[in-house]
Amino acid sequence: MKTLVCVWLFACTVCLAAEKASLALPRSAPERQGISSSAILEFVEAADKQVDAMHSFMLVRHGQVVAEGWWSPYGAQTRHSMFSLSKSFTSTAVGLAVADGKLSVDDEVLKFLPEDAPAEPGANLKSMRVQDLLRMSTGQHAEEVAKFSFDSQEKLTKLFLSLPVEHKPGTHFYYNTPATYMASAIVQKATGMTVFDYLRPRLFDPLGIENPTWESRQGITFGGSGLHIRTEDIARLGQLYLQEGKWHGQQLVPAAWVEAATARQTSNGSNPASDWEQGYGYQFWRCRHGCYRGDGAFGQFCIVMPEQDSVVAITSGTRNLQGVLNLVWDKLLPAMTPGQLGADDAAQKKLAGTLAGLTLHVPQGNPTSKLATTVSGKKYLFPTNDQNIETIALEFGAADSTLVLRDRGVEHRIALGHGSWRTGTTSPVAGASPRVIGSEEQSVAGSGAWAAEDTYAAKLAFYETPLAVTLTFKFAGQQLFVDTEYSVSFGATKQPQLTGQSQ
């Protein structure tokens, strides 16, 4: 009996492994899919030098992954914050609810939320439809939407419906996350399930998107942000849309929805050089070169290239989003040919080596300083400040160092490698915005170096998010001067200098 059980367990394990393997996108050499390894290498090297900072990249051509890479400490199994790329998943949920007969894009918003409507709704609010939420054309002004806060104690759907609607819905484009939250709320009202739960059996599971997480607000899936998935999961959504909603022979999403969601549903500008002024669909952006994309803050991209039969998935933490897209158009798009190319083993080997060795840039400098032994372990006390830093100490070892930082009554101990990353966990530190990294325990990687005899720089990468925090410590007698810079932020990236006094 024991032998039979062991055989059964082994068989189950093999079956599960085979099932997971079948859900993974197939792999291929770039040349077999009509793009040279050298061209991809040029893209990767340019991204590494010009983008601060890329976190991951995956290129799918003709349904085959031809290149993939992660900048350490980011990795293939690391879930990453999607920010507004989440919107494209919410759009998909609306499309599935339409296919299930639960709602129509022509339905008026107030049909689903009459209890949240103002006592006397205006004509424009009455005429606002689901499709107006999807195409960011609700008719509200930016200054009015700015009054909406996801931190409000008021019921959020009611708060949204209380905002003045100055324009006729469908005539005035204004990109905003509250509109997507409302679409999420409507799906929940129509189906009796949150968008997250609704998508699990209909999208996440069939695509092989394992263990996604999605933040919620007041019991409603955030919708416009808050989804956390892996790089390959982004590529799978793009490939699904490229295949007009089909996946392994099954029509997961209606082809009509794919066409409508990725078409130009509204105008959003006329600058031919901007990928933010090519039109907007149902939570998808139109791009130059006949492409479209899902798009999230700080460089989370799902780029679909129908003419080239390709998908590019990117995660990053950059302020130059257009620069990332420009690299795709300049380096990858022109290198795609209709037929196969001849094998190029040397170029493939060089590309594979580069992809395997990618790393987020670490602080540059010396591993030690004459001052290290003097200041090691010394605690510095800081007056009340907006970064909530109370005390700081640096413990310098022979190989690695440790940052000991106390804020809001909590002590953090973060290991710092030299020329490399040391990983661990911590709650947000140094005033890092919850809007960027959340408020829970986070994966963190640290690296540090002496930039000068009296100056030590530590970089903390919260590697399930776009954020890296660089803390520069200058020692001067009994004082410690601290400069803090966030790689990305919805506000200022450089913070006021703090001065600490040795205890």
Side-chain angles (χ1 to χ4, degrees):
M1 177 62 75
K2 186 175 180 180
T3 302
L4 289 174
V5 170
C6 290
V7 170
W8 177 79
L9 287 172
F10 175 76
C12 288
T13 302
V14 170
C15 287
L16 286 171
E19 182 181 358
K20 285 186 177 182
S22 70
L23 292 172
L25 293 169
R27 267 61 178 172
S28 171
E31 283 74 14
R32 292 183 61 185
Q33 307 306 324
I35 183 168
S36 72
S37 297
S38 296
I40 300 173
L41 180 61
E42 283 186 23
F43 168 83
V44 173
E45 290 178 338
D48 188 53
K49 292 176 182 176
Q50 299 175 28
V51 179
D52 186 20
M54 287 278 279
H55 295 160
S56 71
F57 154 72
M58 181 176 285
L59 172 60
V60 185
R61 185 100 204 272
H62 304 322
Q64 308 271 331
V65 176
V66 297
E68 55 192 315
W70 288 263
W71 277 254
S72 175
Y74 293 85
Q77 297 307 314
T78 304
R79 291 194 300 272
H80 197 289
S81 307
M82 292 295 103
F83 289 91
S84 286
L85 179 48
S86 309
K87 290 178 170 68
S88 300
F89 287 83
T90 300
S91 170
T92 305
V94 174
L96 291 172
V98 169
D100 286 346
K102 301 295 185 181
L103 59 86
S104 164
V105 294
D106 293 320
D107 285 337
E108 294 169 349
V109 170
L110 293 183
K111 170 184 174 181
F112 300 95
L113 302 160
E115 69 279 8
D116 295 332
E120 296 183 7
N124 284 342
L125 177 58
K126 286 181 179 179
S127 67
M128 188 189 297
R129 296 168 293 172
V130 172
Q131 65 176 284
D132 297 321
L133 299 172
L134 294 172
R135 60 188 180 177
M136 299 296 181
S137 298
T138 57
Q140 295 148 324
H141 282 156
E143 57 267 25
E144 299 297 342
V145 178
K147 297 175 184 177
F148 181 99
S149 171
F150 282 104
D151 295 326
S152 174
Q153 297 303 306
E154 187 177 351
K155 188 177 182 183
L156 294 177
T157 47
K158 185 175 182 178
L159 177 59
F160 181 90
L161 295 175
S162 73
L163 302 176
V165 185
E166 299 292 341
H167 299 274
K168 181 181 178 181
T171 65
H172 178 74
F173 176 84
Y174 176 63
Y175 182 85
N176 68 95
T177 292
T180 316
Y181 177 81
M182 292 298 290
S184 177
I186 286 172
V187 170
Q188 185 165 329
K189 201 71 179 288
T191 66
M193 304 171 70
T194 66
V195 160
F196 187 45
D197 289 337
Y198 188 65
L199 286 180
R200 275 187 180 277
R202 294 167 175 82
L203 186 76
F204 294 137
D205 291 346
L207 289 185
I209 297 177
E210 298 177 357
N211 304 315
T213 62
W214 205 335
E215 298 165 32
S216 63
R217 295 293 186 275
Q218 297 184 354
I220 296 170
T221 300
F222 201 164
S225 189
L227 179 63
H228 303 255
I229 54 176
R230 301 164 302 177
T231 309
E232 185 165 341
D233 300 331
I234 301 171
R236 288 170 178 171
L237 178 75
Q239 189 64 29
L240 174 70
Y241 270 73
L242 183 62
Q243 295 169 177
E244 299 179 340
K246 284 188 178 180
W247 193 259
H248 291 180
Q250 181 183 359
Q251 193 75 45
L252 295 185
V253 179
W257 181 261
V258 172
E259 181 179 2
T262 61
R264 182 187 175 108
Q265 293 290 346
T266 189
S267 175
N268 59 357
S270 58
N271 182 354
S274 171
D275 283 294
W276 278 263
E277 296 188 31
Q278 305 304 310
Y280 193 76
Y282 290 160
Q283 311 285 285
F284 285 87
W285 295 85
R286 293 295 307 175
C287 303
R288 293 175 292 164
H289 310 292
C291 304
Y292 61 87
R293 72 186 187 278
D295 179 316
F298 313 127
Q300 323 316 316
F301 291 117
C302 176
I303 305 165
V304 181
M305 309 164 75
E307 294 177 16
Q308 291 75 27
D309 192 27
S310 298
V311 173
V312 179
I314 288 172
T315 62
S316 53
T318 181
R319 292 170 246 170
N320 184 13
L321 277 66
Q322 185 64 71
V324 176
L325 292 176
N326 288 345
L327 286 176
V328 174
W329 310 143
D330 294 346
K331 302 293 185 182
L332 296 179
L333 187 146
M336 296 180 182
T337 61
Q340 290 189 15
L341 301 175
D344 190 339
D345 293 341
Q348 287 179 24
K349 184 176 180 180
K350 187 175 181 180
L351 173 62
T354 298
L355 290 169
L358 294 171
T359 183
L360 202 62
H361 298 170
V362 299
Q364 297 299 300
N366 295 317
T368 190
S369 162
K370 294 177 181 178
L371 197 60
T373 54
T374 303
V375 299
S376 183
K378 186 178 288 188
K379 185 178 289 187
Y380 295 84
L381 178 66
F382 292 83
T384 302
N385 57 81
D386 290 341
Q387 296 174 54
N388 302 308
I389 293 175
E390 297 167 2
T391 64
I392 285 176
L394 284 153
E395 299 172 354
F396 296 106
D400 300 335
S401 304
T402 302
L403 169 64
V404 185
L405 185 151
R406 183 179 180 86
D407 66 5
R408 288 169 288 198
V410 178
E411 184 176 277
H412 312 267
R413 294 185 63 86
I414 302 172
L416 306 170
H418 174 68
S420 62
W421 294 99
R422 296 290 180 269
T423 59
T425 59
T426 186
S427 53
V429 298
S433 170
R435 287 187 65 196
V436 179
I437 67 171
S439 57
E440 306 299 324
E441 191 83 356
Q442 296 282 339
S443 298
V444 65
S447 183
W450 287 90
E453 283 296 323
D454 61 352
T455 304
Y456 185 82
K459 189 172 183 178
L460 313 179
F462 293 87
Y463 60 93
E464 292 183 359
T465 83
L467 180 67
V469 180
T470 299
L471 296 159
T472 303
F473 308 103
K474 184 171 183 177
F475 299 91
Q478 298 303 307
Q479 291 184 314
L480 176 63
F481 299 98
V482 180
D483 289 295
T484 303
E485 184 172 6
Y486 309 137
S487 59
V488 293
S489 174
F490 288 109
T493 53
K494 291 187 178 180
Q495 303 303 300
Q497 187 179 74
L498 304 181
T499 304
Q501 191 73 31
S502 175
Q503 285 188 312

